[in-house]
Amino acid sequence: IHGGVFTSALAHLSTLVTEVFGNNPTKVVFGFCISECGGTSSNINAEQAVSVMNDLKEAYPCNGGAFFWNAAHDMMGAWSHSVAEAISPSRGCKAPAQGN
């Protein structure tokens, strides 16, 4: 995932964090489609999802994590295991307190 896709993901996440969730990135869970989303060209493999999550962690080290559609296609947990390893270091973190 390079350039436009990451920029789009970060822009989308930033908008949700700042405009919807009061600057609290822990309230935003980033979603992926692992299969059967070809009509929108939004299928993403585990390596690509890990790359996106690693890039997003640079901007929001403490975030709500990730989820995916179509668990039946996560053969033997290969997709979810890879992504879980990437996001587990921030599991349970707390977003910094925001001043009012």
Side-chain angles (χ1 to χ4, degrees):
I1 303 292
H2 299 287
V5 173
F6 169 68
T7 302
S8 176
L10 181 59
H12 183 64
L13 180 64
S14 295
T15 297
L16 290 171
V17 168
T18 59
E19 295 181 19
V20 179
F21 293 106
N23 291 319
N24 186 345
T26 64
K27 293 185 176 184
V28 182
V29 179
F30 206 82
F32 297 101
C33 186
I34 65 173
S35 66
E36 297 186 0
C37 293
T40 58
S41 299
S42 56
N43 289 335
I44 190 165
N45 66 35
E47 183 179 328
Q48 293 167 323
V50 166
S51 179
V52 168
M53 291 309 295
N54 285 337
D55 289 344
L56 293 178
K57 281 192 304 190
E58 288 183 26
Y60 295 101
C62 189
N63 59 67
F67 74 99
F68 64 95
W69 290 278
N70 213 341
H73 291 239
D74 185 18
M75 304 315 252
M76 299 181 65
W79 192 99
S80 56
H81 179 73
S82 297
V83 176
E85 280 186 1
I87 65 175
S88 67
S90 60
R91 183 176 290 144
C93 64
K94 303 258 188 268
Q98 301 293 319
N100 293 343

